[in-house]
Amino acid sequence: MTKKNIVVFSSGPIGVLFLEKILRYKNFKVHLVVICNNSNNPFFEEGQINPMEKICAVNRISIAYDPSEVVGYKYDLGLSFSNFHILRQEHITPFKNGVINFHGAPIEWYKGSAVPAYHILHEDKPMWGFTYHYVDEGLDTGNIIKQILYDIPEGLSSEEIDKSVVINALEGLYDFFDYLFLTKLTPKSFLNHNKVLPIKRKDLKKFAVLNENLPATVDFEKKMRAFNWPKILKHPMVLVNNKKYRLVPEEKYDEMLKIYREIE
């Protein structure tokens, strides 16, 4: 079987894990990796070498920093994992079989980013999941290809929920890729999430002060779990004498990358 020519849109520690596994998949040839090296990527640090760049250098894979660099070329498939770029139609058109995005939540429940925190603050049910869907110009509005739901322990933090997604998704990644090839890269899709409103990280800022904004039914422990997600969300603040103090310092990128590598 001829290997399919693909482009991977990916950044950050989760992107590193998925790229490493994609490179070992028998039916894919990664032609290009599009990395987000700006402030849209919460793991980006000025002057620091991006681990994605190291992987690409070792494997002799071309790198781009702007999705516009795919325009004018032809590829079989695009894969988006931990992608902080916004893809427009001109970025999708070069792909014969479209671009497939990995969304770290059940997309029929939550669109957007940092949704585990929103889930803890508003639902906190012991169930979670992830979704593969086609990319279109909307925010997580493309047709769903596959959605996985699974039980999680009660009392997890946002970071722990996210880790559970990575563990489950990496374990079943090749099964999903095999499914794509079984359907000749044109799997049937379904669309049931038009009424779900997207969540943005900035929308959660109003909840990040512990003694205001959230209803009394949301307790202190729940708030701490929701904002315990280094680099993605800043830890919550507490008001003391009308001054705001952040409770837990941010962890560095290398420490975050180590945490995610330990799950494989």
PDB file of all heavy atoms in Angstrom, residues 81-102:
ATOM      1  N   PHE A  81      -3.514  17.940  15.864  1.00  0.00           N
ATOM      2  CA  PHE A  81      -3.448  17.505  17.258  1.00  0.00           C
ATOM      3  C   PHE A  81      -2.807  18.617  18.074  1.00  0.00           C
ATOM      4  O   PHE A  81      -1.686  19.034  17.779  1.00  0.00           O
ATOM      5  CB  PHE A  81      -2.598  16.242  17.406  1.00  0.00           C
ATOM      6  CG  PHE A  81      -3.216  15.000  16.834  1.00  0.00           C
ATOM      7  CD1 PHE A  81      -2.997  14.648  15.518  1.00  0.00           C
ATOM      8  CD2 PHE A  81      -4.015  14.179  17.616  1.00  0.00           C
ATOM      9  CE1 PHE A  81      -3.549  13.495  14.985  1.00  0.00           C
ATOM     10  CE2 PHE A  81      -4.586  13.028  17.089  1.00  0.00           C
ATOM     11  CZ  PHE A  81      -4.354  12.684  15.773  1.00  0.00           C
ATOM     12  N   SER A  82      -3.509  19.118  19.075  1.00  0.00           N
ATOM     13  CA  SER A  82      -2.964  20.202  19.893  1.00  0.00           C
ATOM     14  C   SER A  82      -2.492  21.338  18.980  1.00  0.00           C
ATOM     15  O   SER A  82      -1.373  21.825  19.071  1.00  0.00           O
ATOM     16  CB  SER A  82      -1.814  19.691  20.762  1.00  0.00           C
ATOM     17  OG  SER A  82      -1.402  20.638  21.716  1.00  0.00           O
ATOM     18  N   ASN A  83      -3.380  21.754  18.111  1.00  0.00           N
ATOM     19  CA  ASN A  83      -3.069  22.779  17.112  1.00  0.00           C
ATOM     20  C   ASN A  83      -3.608  24.122  17.576  1.00  0.00           C
ATOM     21  O   ASN A  83      -4.798  24.258  17.843  1.00  0.00           O
ATOM     22  CB  ASN A  83      -3.706  22.385  15.771  1.00  0.00           C
ATOM     23  CG  ASN A  83      -3.626  23.486  14.747  1.00  0.00           C
ATOM     24  OD1 ASN A  83      -2.639  24.219  14.684  1.00  0.00           O
ATOM     25  ND2 ASN A  83      -4.660  23.620  13.952  1.00  0.00           N
ATOM     26  N   PHE A  84      -2.746  25.126  17.648  1.00  0.00           N
ATOM     27  CA  PHE A  84      -3.165  26.446  18.123  1.00  0.00           C
ATOM     28  C   PHE A  84      -3.334  27.449  16.986  1.00  0.00           C
ATOM     29  O   PHE A  84      -3.541  28.633  17.232  1.00  0.00           O
ATOM     30  CB  PHE A  84      -2.153  26.967  19.154  1.00  0.00           C
ATOM     31  CG  PHE A  84      -2.029  26.066  20.356  1.00  0.00           C
ATOM     32  CD1 PHE A  84      -0.938  25.217  20.486  1.00  0.00           C
ATOM     33  CD2 PHE A  84      -3.007  26.039  21.328  1.00  0.00           C
ATOM     34  CE1 PHE A  84      -0.825  24.367  21.578  1.00  0.00           C
ATOM     35  CE2 PHE A  84      -2.909  25.198  22.425  1.00  0.00           C
ATOM     36  CZ  PHE A  84      -1.808  24.366  22.552  1.00  0.00           C
ATOM     37  N   HIS A  85      -3.238  26.977  15.747  1.00  0.00           N
ATOM     38  CA  HIS A  85      -3.537  27.819  14.596  1.00  0.00           C
ATOM     39  C   HIS A  85      -5.031  27.747  14.278  1.00  0.00           C
ATOM     40  O   HIS A  85      -5.673  26.725  14.494  1.00  0.00           O
ATOM     41  CB  HIS A  85      -2.772  27.352  13.353  1.00  0.00           C
ATOM     42  CG  HIS A  85      -1.305  27.668  13.378  1.00  0.00           C
ATOM     43  ND1 HIS A  85      -0.819  28.951  13.379  1.00  0.00           N
ATOM     44  CD2 HIS A  85      -0.227  26.846  13.400  1.00  0.00           C
ATOM     45  CE1 HIS A  85       0.500  28.917  13.379  1.00  0.00           C
ATOM     46  NE2 HIS A  85       0.887  27.658  13.397  1.00  0.00           N
ATOM     47  N   ILE A  86      -5.564  28.825  13.745  1.00  0.00           N
ATOM     48  CA  ILE A  86      -6.929  28.825  13.220  1.00  0.00           C
ATOM     49  C   ILE A  86      -6.839  28.559  11.717  1.00  0.00           C
ATOM     50  O   ILE A  86      -6.196  29.310  10.984  1.00  0.00           O
ATOM     51  CB  ILE A  86      -7.630  30.165  13.488  1.00  0.00           C
ATOM     52  CG1 ILE A  86      -7.780  30.385  14.998  1.00  0.00           C
ATOM     53  CG2 ILE A  86      -8.997  30.197  12.802  1.00  0.00           C
ATOM     54  CD1 ILE A  86      -8.362  31.732  15.364  1.00  0.00           C
ATOM     55  N   LEU A  87      -7.464  27.491  11.264  1.00  0.00           N
ATOM     56  CA  LEU A  87      -7.392  27.121   9.860  1.00  0.00           C
ATOM     57  C   LEU A  87      -8.561  27.704   9.082  1.00  0.00           C
ATOM     58  O   LEU A  87      -9.714  27.566   9.489  1.00  0.00           O
ATOM     59  CB  LEU A  87      -7.382  25.596   9.713  1.00  0.00           C
ATOM     60  CG  LEU A  87      -6.240  24.856  10.421  1.00  0.00           C
ATOM     61  CD1 LEU A  87      -6.301  23.362  10.097  1.00  0.00           C
ATOM     62  CD2 LEU A  87      -4.881  25.430  10.050  1.00  0.00           C
ATOM     63  N   ARG A  88      -8.240  28.362   7.988  1.00  0.00           N
ATOM     64  CA  ARG A  88      -9.245  28.927   7.090  1.00  0.00           C
ATOM     65  C   ARG A  88      -9.462  27.979   5.912  1.00  0.00           C
ATOM     66  O   ARG A  88      -8.730  27.011   5.743  1.00  0.00           O
ATOM     67  CB  ARG A  88      -8.785  30.305   6.591  1.00  0.00           C
ATOM     68  CG  ARG A  88      -8.420  31.283   7.695  1.00  0.00           C
ATOM     69  CD  ARG A  88      -9.603  31.570   8.597  1.00  0.00           C
ATOM     70  NE  ARG A  88      -9.282  32.570   9.609  1.00  0.00           N
ATOM     71  CZ  ARG A  88     -10.043  32.841  10.656  1.00  0.00           C
ATOM     72  NH1 ARG A  88     -11.189  32.188  10.831  1.00  0.00           N
ATOM     73  NH2 ARG A  88      -9.676  33.753  11.538  1.00  0.00           N
ATOM     74  N   GLN A  89     -10.444  28.309   5.089  1.00  0.00           N
ATOM     75  CA  GLN A  89     -10.772  27.421   3.974  1.00  0.00           C
ATOM     76  C   GLN A  89      -9.587  27.242   3.030  1.00  0.00           C
ATOM     77  O   GLN A  89      -9.365  26.137   2.511  1.00  0.00           O
ATOM     78  CB  GLN A  89     -11.975  27.960   3.195  1.00  0.00           C
ATOM     79  CG  GLN A  89     -12.477  27.018   2.115  1.00  0.00           C
ATOM     80  CD  GLN A  89     -12.861  25.646   2.668  1.00  0.00           C
ATOM     81  OE1 GLN A  89     -13.564  25.536   3.665  1.00  0.00           O
ATOM     82  NE2 GLN A  89     -12.389  24.581   2.009  1.00  0.00           N
ATOM     83  N   GLU A  90      -8.796  28.284   2.821  1.00  0.00           N
ATOM     84  CA  GLU A  90      -7.654  28.151   1.919  1.00  0.00           C
ATOM     85  C   GLU A  90      -6.588  27.201   2.474  1.00  0.00           C
ATOM     86  O   GLU A  90      -5.768  26.669   1.716  1.00  0.00           O
ATOM     87  CB  GLU A  90      -7.024  29.525   1.635  1.00  0.00           C
ATOM     88  CG  GLU A  90      -6.455  30.251   2.843  1.00  0.00           C
ATOM     89  CD  GLU A  90      -7.441  31.239   3.454  1.00  0.00           C
ATOM     90  OE1 GLU A  90      -8.664  31.012   3.323  1.00  0.00           O
ATOM     91  OE2 GLU A  90      -6.976  32.238   4.037  1.00  0.00           O
ATOM     92  N   HIS A  91      -6.613  26.978   3.798  1.00  0.00           N
ATOM     93  CA  HIS A  91      -5.675  26.028   4.402  1.00  0.00           C
ATOM     94  C   HIS A  91      -6.206  24.596   4.323  1.00  0.00           C
ATOM     95  O   HIS A  91      -5.429  23.650   4.442  1.00  0.00           O
ATOM     96  CB  HIS A  91      -5.430  26.377   5.880  1.00  0.00           C
ATOM     97  CG  HIS A  91      -5.022  27.795   6.105  1.00  0.00           C
ATOM     98  ND1 HIS A  91      -5.483  28.542   7.170  1.00  0.00           N
ATOM     99  CD2 HIS A  91      -4.209  28.616   5.389  1.00  0.00           C
ATOM    100  CE1 HIS A  91      -4.964  29.753   7.116  1.00  0.00           C
ATOM    101  NE2 HIS A  91      -4.199  29.811   6.040  1.00  0.00           N
ATOM    102  N   ILE A  92      -7.504  24.445   4.133  1.00  0.00           N
ATOM    103  CA  ILE A  92      -8.135  23.130   4.095  1.00  0.00           C
ATOM    104  C   ILE A  92      -8.199  22.584   2.670  1.00  0.00           C
ATOM    105  O   ILE A  92      -8.061  21.382   2.431  1.00  0.00           O
ATOM    106  CB  ILE A  92      -9.557  23.207   4.694  1.00  0.00           C
ATOM    107  CG1 ILE A  92      -9.496  23.732   6.138  1.00  0.00           C
ATOM    108  CG2 ILE A  92     -10.254  21.856   4.643  1.00  0.00           C
ATOM    109  CD1 ILE A  92     -10.850  24.097   6.717  1.00  0.00           C
ATOM    110  N   THR A  93      -8.380  23.477   1.707  1.00  0.00           N
ATOM    111  CA  THR A  93      -8.551  23.094   0.300  1.00  0.00           C
ATOM    112  C   THR A  93      -7.426  22.210  -0.246  1.00  0.00           C
ATOM    113  O   THR A  93      -7.707  21.302  -1.048  1.00  0.00           O
ATOM    114  CB  THR A  93      -8.699  24.359  -0.566  1.00  0.00           C
ATOM    115  OG1 THR A  93      -9.846  25.091  -0.127  1.00  0.00           O
ATOM    116  CG2 THR A  93      -8.852  24.007  -2.036  1.00  0.00           C
ATOM    117  N   PRO A  94      -6.147  22.402   0.132  1.00  0.00           N
ATOM    118  CA  PRO A  94      -5.081  21.562  -0.446  1.00  0.00           C
ATOM    119  C   PRO A  94      -5.167  20.084  -0.106  1.00  0.00           C
ATOM    120  O   PRO A  94      -4.441  19.280  -0.695  1.00  0.00           O
ATOM    121  CB  PRO A  94      -3.801  22.170   0.153  1.00  0.00           C
ATOM    122  CG  PRO A  94      -4.154  23.580   0.498  1.00  0.00           C
ATOM    123  CD  PRO A  94      -5.581  23.503   0.949  1.00  0.00           C
ATOM    124  N   PHE A  95      -6.061  19.685   0.811  1.00  0.00           N
ATOM    125  CA  PHE A  95      -6.088  18.307   1.282  1.00  0.00           C
ATOM    126  C   PHE A  95      -7.207  17.520   0.607  1.00  0.00           C
ATOM    127  O   PHE A  95      -8.399  17.829   0.769  1.00  0.00           O
ATOM    128  CB  PHE A  95      -6.245  18.280   2.798  1.00  0.00           C
ATOM    129  CG  PHE A  95      -5.076  18.908   3.514  1.00  0.00           C
ATOM    130  CD1 PHE A  95      -5.099  20.250   3.860  1.00  0.00           C
ATOM    131  CD2 PHE A  95      -3.947  18.158   3.791  1.00  0.00           C
ATOM    132  CE1 PHE A  95      -4.020  20.834   4.498  1.00  0.00           C
ATOM    133  CE2 PHE A  95      -2.860  18.735   4.430  1.00  0.00           C
ATOM    134  CZ  PHE A  95      -2.888  20.072   4.778  1.00  0.00           C
ATOM    135  N   LYS A  96      -6.814  16.513  -0.143  1.00  0.00           N
ATOM    136  CA  LYS A  96      -7.764  15.692  -0.898  1.00  0.00           C
ATOM    137  C   LYS A  96      -8.848  15.117   0.006  1.00  0.00           C
ATOM    138  O   LYS A  96     -10.029  15.073  -0.365  1.00  0.00           O
ATOM    139  CB  LYS A  96      -7.006  14.572  -1.599  1.00  0.00           C
ATOM    140  CG  LYS A  96      -7.879  13.591  -2.360  1.00  0.00           C
ATOM    141  CD  LYS A  96      -7.034  12.485  -2.981  1.00  0.00           C
ATOM    142  CE  LYS A  96      -7.911  11.467  -3.683  1.00  0.00           C
ATOM    143  NZ  LYS A  96      -7.087  10.366  -4.289  1.00  0.00           N
ATOM    144  N   ASN A  97      -8.464  14.641   1.191  1.00  0.00           N
ATOM    145  CA  ASN A  97      -9.405  14.016   2.116  1.00  0.00           C
ATOM    146  C   ASN A  97      -9.686  14.890   3.339  1.00  0.00           C
ATOM    147  O   ASN A  97     -10.161  14.385   4.360  1.00  0.00           O
ATOM    148  CB  ASN A  97      -8.877  12.651   2.557  1.00  0.00           C
ATOM    149  CG  ASN A  97      -8.720  11.691   1.391  1.00  0.00           C
ATOM    150  OD1 ASN A  97      -7.609  11.442   0.928  1.00  0.00           O
ATOM    151  ND2 ASN A  97      -9.822  11.180   0.881  1.00  0.00           N
ATOM    152  N   GLY A  98      -9.415  16.172   3.219  1.00  0.00           N
ATOM    153  CA  GLY A  98      -9.723  17.106   4.293  1.00  0.00           C
ATOM    154  C   GLY A  98      -8.701  17.100   5.415  1.00  0.00           C
ATOM    155  O   GLY A  98      -7.652  16.453   5.348  1.00  0.00           O
ATOM    156  N   VAL A  99      -9.033  17.841   6.466  1.00  0.00           N
ATOM    157  CA  VAL A  99      -8.212  17.916   7.674  1.00  0.00           C
ATOM    158  C   VAL A  99      -9.044  17.379   8.828  1.00  0.00           C
ATOM    159  O   VAL A  99     -10.198  17.783   9.018  1.00  0.00           O
ATOM    160  CB  VAL A  99      -7.767  19.359   7.975  1.00  0.00           C
ATOM    161  CG1 VAL A  99      -6.938  19.411   9.253  1.00  0.00           C
ATOM    162  CG2 VAL A  99      -6.981  19.945   6.807  1.00  0.00           C
ATOM    163  N   ILE A 100      -8.470  16.468   9.590  1.00  0.00           N
ATOM    164  CA  ILE A 100      -9.154  15.874  10.743  1.00  0.00           C
ATOM    165  C   ILE A 100      -8.534  16.411  12.026  1.00  0.00           C
ATOM    166  O   ILE A 100      -7.310  16.391  12.197  1.00  0.00           O
ATOM    167  CB  ILE A 100      -9.059  14.338  10.708  1.00  0.00           C
ATOM    168  CG1 ILE A 100      -9.807  13.794   9.491  1.00  0.00           C
ATOM    169  CG2 ILE A 100      -9.615  13.728  11.993  1.00  0.00           C
ATOM    170  CD1 ILE A 100      -9.644  12.302   9.282  1.00  0.00           C
ATOM    171  N   ASN A 101      -9.379  16.896  12.902  1.00  0.00           N
ATOM    172  CA  ASN A 101      -8.931  17.455  14.173  1.00  0.00           C
ATOM    173  C   ASN A 101      -9.245  16.518  15.333  1.00  0.00           C
ATOM    174  O   ASN A 101     -10.295  15.875  15.367  1.00  0.00           O
ATOM    175  CB  ASN A 101      -9.616  18.799  14.426  1.00  0.00           C
ATOM    176  CG  ASN A 101      -9.152  19.440  15.731  1.00  0.00           C
ATOM    177  OD1 ASN A 101      -7.961  19.680  15.929  1.00  0.00           O
ATOM    178  ND2 ASN A 101     -10.082  19.718  16.623  1.00  0.00           N
ATOM    179  N   PHE A 102      -8.315  16.473  16.274  1.00  0.00           N
ATOM    180  CA  PHE A 102      -8.536  15.756  17.530  1.00  0.00           C
ATOM    181  C   PHE A 102      -8.966  16.776  18.573  1.00  0.00           C
ATOM    182  O   PHE A 102      -8.243  17.719  18.882  1.00  0.00           O
ATOM    183  CB  PHE A 102      -7.240  15.067  17.970  1.00  0.00           C
ATOM    184  CG  PHE A 102      -7.311  14.488  19.361  1.00  0.00           C
ATOM    185  CD1 PHE A 102      -7.980  13.308  19.593  1.00  0.00           C
ATOM    186  CD2 PHE A 102      -6.705  15.132  20.430  1.00  0.00           C
ATOM    187  CE1 PHE A 102      -8.049  12.764  20.869  1.00  0.00           C
ATOM    188  CE2 PHE A 102      -6.755  14.608  21.711  1.00  0.00           C
ATOM    189  CZ  PHE A 102      -7.430  13.424  21.930  1.00  0.00           C
TER     190      PHE A 102
END
